[in-house]
Amino acid sequence: MPDYQLLQQAFSPENFRRQAHQLVDVLAEYLASVQKIEEKTVIPFREPEQNLRYWQEDFQKPLLEDPTELFQDIINRSTHLHHSHYMGHQVTPPLLLAALSGMLSDVLNNGMAVYEMGLVSNPLEKIVTDWLAKKLGFDNDTSGLLTSGGTLANLTALLAARAAKASTDVWEEGSTDNLAVMVSEEAHYCIDRAARIMGMGSKGIIKIPVNERYQMRTELLESYFQAAHQQGLHVIAVIGSACSTSTGAYDNLEEIATFCQQHQLWFHTDGAHGGAVVLSEKYKYLVKGIEKSDSVVVDFHKMLMMPALSTALIFRNETDAYHTFQQKAQYLWSNQQSMEWYNSGKRTFECTKLMMSLKIYVSLRTYGEALFRANIEVLHDLARRFAEIITARSQWELALQPESNIVCFRYCFPQQINVLNQQLRKRLLEDGSFYIVQTMLRGDTFLRVSLMNPLTSETDLLALLEKMEEMVKKMPEY
Ligand SMILES: *Cc1c(COP(=O)(O)O)cnc(C)c1O
């Protein structure tokens, strides 16, 4: 076939209509089947080499007449987030309407960096970030943006902190003083990574110890700050975790805010996972003081049900957002200095950017805030219930009472407790009937669930414990 015809076929609306209908049918069948849990494992785990070999062989096969079979194969070999036994990492089972909006944005593919390439998505981005800023308790002259993930959003926030607080213009002149940030030792590793990318090195990441509930010991901030000063470090920011990743513990944001005010430091809140609780009257007490932050990160792909990636970074002061990236790109926008909300690329790391605002906006317009609130409350309530269930069973123990929807616990093996909990989790992974993860807390291994699926029930959690209790009985090591 001549290439021109191939292109015509690939762009044919009729082919698209047929393939899209087929895919939607396949996905609807899939979603129905993962909700009948007895029929399906949640994770079809295979070793990496085995999966690589499978796809290498697939890649050698003749071209497909119809991609449906391939779609099906991809589904079957993936981890099933809509399965009620999915309780592993903090990625949400996406809202189906948001996933459909993803198809819409993929077809439109407006690149967003400049207004002309994001006539709809730039205004929608302003609307959804203004909405979130209000929920966070910020008033009107805030500035928000959407970017590709919490990792990039935290780096962007720290770049803004540097622009605001460093004594020299690092963007123009390079780094001359020894900049540093203060953060709890339980913070997400991306903070450490961001500080290193910014040239602060390990000395520039001052880790504040945590208390027995894994929260930053804010009473130590002053002495760590003074010690850093004596070593010639220039602390620019304190980062609060809301919540931290391993345990779901929320730092005391009020106290961090007060400390930052006293020393004129930037106060950044990493609310990638838990910042979303501002949408719940019942749980927003967990982030009291968040409105005093200079910047806040919230991942929509965690507690807010959006497909990955979709992250908000909100600045309390509008101007801060425009100081982060200061270089000129004449062909994109004529005046770098002006605050043009509608040219997305001025404030984000990305040049071309996904139309993430679309999915959030469509979801809000269709279901309202109530859906987000329901998700947060169902997941948090369920974590508290799971903690009660664990506490009531003598062979299990909690690492700590959960504040968020993350629960860390372990089986009380009388000896070799770490190794045996690791083995238990590995057996569960290979079995595939539940998906949970593990974490290290003060040198000990704990099993960890993030309750991300609102269709997970108490019955599923009881079944999880029973499954593992059965597995313990069969462990030869035990
Ligand atoms: C998940 C998470 C991150 C990283 O966000 P990504 O969207 O995965 O890049 C950062 N901080 C916290 C507290 C998180 O939970």
Side-chain angles (χ1 to χ4, degrees):
M1 194 192 322
D3 285 349
Y4 186 68
Q5 268 184 18
L6 182 60
L7 285 164
Q8 269 188 331
Q9 187 193 326
F11 283 95
S12 140
E14 281 315 311
N15 283 344
F16 172 71
R17 189 194 306 278
R18 188 173 36 80
Q19 289 173 347
H21 279 293
Q22 280 171 358
L23 176 57
V24 169
D25 285 341
V26 166
L27 285 172
E29 288 297 321
Y30 160 67
L31 290 165
S33 82
V34 287
Q35 290 181 11
K36 286 194 228 110
I37 51 179
E38 59 283 3
E39 285 179 18
K40 223 173 168 78
T41 54
V42 55
I43 178 164
F45 184 79
R46 292 174 188 85
E47 294 299 335
E49 289 306 320
Q50 205 183 341
N51 261 335
L52 178 62
R53 221 173 311 118
Y54 179 84
W55 290 109
Q56 281 170 335
E57 280 165 23
D58 180 76
F59 195 53
Q60 301 305 323
K61 290 181 185 163
L63 291 181
L64 296 164
E65 296 266 309
D66 171 358
T68 308
E69 214 174 297
L70 178 57
F71 292 151
Q72 191 67 63
D73 209 14
I74 290 169
I75 291 169
N76 291 344
R77 294 178 156 265
S78 295
T79 303
H80 308 305
L81 277 64
H82 291 90
H83 193 301
S84 67
H85 291 180
Y86 165 77
M87 35 185 104
H89 287 288
Q90 291 156 276
V91 181
T92 188
L95 196 61
L96 301 173
L97 180 65
L100 286 178
S101 313
M103 182 161 85
L104 175 62
S105 72
D106 276 4
V107 171
L108 295 173
N109 209 28
N110 282 206
M112 288 202 66
V114 295
Y115 176 60
E116 291 152 33
M117 286 297 285
L119 298 173
V120 175
S121 48
N122 278 312
L124 296 191
E125 178 163 322
K126 177 157 171 54
I127 290 167
V128 299
T129 53
D130 281 352
W131 164 76
L132 182 61
K134 217 165 168 193
K135 292 287 151 191
L136 289 166
F138 291 150
D139 53 25
N140 290 335
D141 47 356
T142 60
S143 172
L145 54 90
L146 297 177
T147 190
S148 303
T151 299
L152 199 55
N154 279 311
L155 173 60
T156 308
L158 293 186
L159 286 169
R162 187 177 71 180
K165 299 293 180 185
S167 44
T168 57
D169 183 352
V170 182
W171 193 264
E172 285 300 323
E173 296 156 22
S175 185
T176 51
D177 53 0
N178 292 314
L179 300 179
V181 294
M182 296 166 84
V183 64
S184 114
E185 59 184 345
E186 282 290 316
H188 192 273
Y189 75 90
C190 73
I191 301 290
D192 185 280
R193 188 176 277 189
R196 287 171 198 273
I197 288 169
M198 291 166 68
M200 297 184 200
S202 50
K203 68 177 187 334
I205 306 140
I206 300 165
K207 297 217 166 132
I208 311 295
V210 292
N211 63 20
E212 74 292 344
R213 299 196 39 73
Y214 297 89
Q215 298 154 325
M216 179 192 282
R217 289 182 58 192
T218 47
E219 77 278 11
L220 297 179
L221 280 169
E222 184 65 38
S223 59
Y224 274 70
F225 179 74
Q226 295 303 340
H229 188 67
Q230 308 242 296
Q231 288 162 33
L233 291 169
H234 176 193
V235 176
I236 54 168
V238 184
I239 297 124
S241 301
C243 50
S244 65
T245 305
S246 282
T247 62
Y250 285 84
D251 286 342
N252 187 328
L253 303 180
E254 286 279 2
E255 284 174 10
I256 299 174
T258 304
F259 180 80
C260 286
Q261 270 160 13
Q262 277 161 7
H263 294 280
Q264 299 189 340
L265 304 176
W266 185 277
F267 170 27
H268 174 61
T269 296
D270 179 4
H273 181 83
V277 296
V278 294
L279 294 169
S280 157
E281 284 303 318
K282 185 172 175 189
Y283 287 110
K284 73 180 194 189
Y285 74 91
L286 291 165
V287 292
K288 198 160 172 286
I290 200 166
E291 72 287 353
K292 296 177 181 162
S293 315
D294 292 293
S295 51
V296 179
V297 163
V298 179
D299 272 345
F300 276 90
H301 54 270
K302 287 183 177 161
M303 217 106 69
L304 296 174
M305 299 183 283
M306 292 298 115
L309 292 164
S310 180
T311 300
L313 167 57
I314 313 287
F315 291 97
R316 183 154 50 93
N317 293 316
E318 185 177 15
T319 46
D320 288 329
Y322 292 88
H323 293 154
T324 320
F325 305 105
Q326 297 161 43
Q327 82 257 59
K328 300 178 180 68
Q330 295 291 357
Y331 69 98
L332 289 181
W333 43 79
S334 47
N335 182 359
Q336 176 60 30
Q337 299 313 320
S338 62
M339 300 201 294
E340 295 158 350
W341 60 264
Y342 44 84
N343 286 321
S344 161
K346 279 192 163 184
R347 293 174 296 149
T348 57
F349 226 107
E350 297 103 321
C351 177
T352 306
K353 185 172 85 176
L354 294 172
M355 304 166 76
M356 10 186 131
S357 56
L358 222 76
K359 299 173 192 175
I360 303 168
Y361 187 85
V362 169
S363 306
L364 273 171
R365 283 282 283 118
T366 308
Y367 298 113
E369 272 172 47
L371 188 74
F372 291 133
R373 184 166 60 240
N375 192 53
I376 290 160
E377 293 184 357
V378 162
L379 299 177
H380 279 65
D381 289 350
L382 190 62
R384 280 151 179 74
R385 182 69 198 117
F386 189 37
E388 286 170 7
I389 294 171
I390 289 168
T391 310
R393 287 164 103 99
S394 60
Q395 32 330 16
W396 297 94
E397 70 176 359
L398 278 180
L400 71 161
Q401 284 297 332
E403 288 184 277
S404 180
N405 55 335
I406 296 167
V407 185
C408 299
F409 63 106
R410 64 180 174 178
Y411 193 86
C412 302
F413 293 100
Q415 76 283 320
Q416 289 200 294
I417 190 162
N418 290 332
V419 176
L420 292 178
N421 272 289
Q422 285 159 23
Q423 282 178 11
L424 187 53
R425 141 76 199 168
K426 183 152 185 285
R427 277 158 192 262
L428 197 60
L429 181 65
E430 286 161 0
D431 174 79
S433 57
F434 288 85
Y435 182 51
I436 70 169
V437 295
Q438 66 186 41
T439 190
M440 287 284 273
L441 300 175
R442 304 206 167 96
D444 284 328
T445 300
F446 282 85
L447 305 172
R448 176 175 173 275
V449 298
S450 306
L451 300 173
M452 298 305 290
N453 187 339
L455 301 184
T456 299
S457 67
E458 194 176 320
T459 314
D460 294 313
L461 295 171
L462 284 167
L464 167 69
L465 295 182
E466 275 153 27
K467 178 84 194 178
M468 286 195 287
E469 285 162 12
E470 255 172 59
M471 287 182 150
V472 168
K473 286 192 202 132
K474 293 191 199 130
M475 281 167 77
E477 309 84 342
Y478 181 50

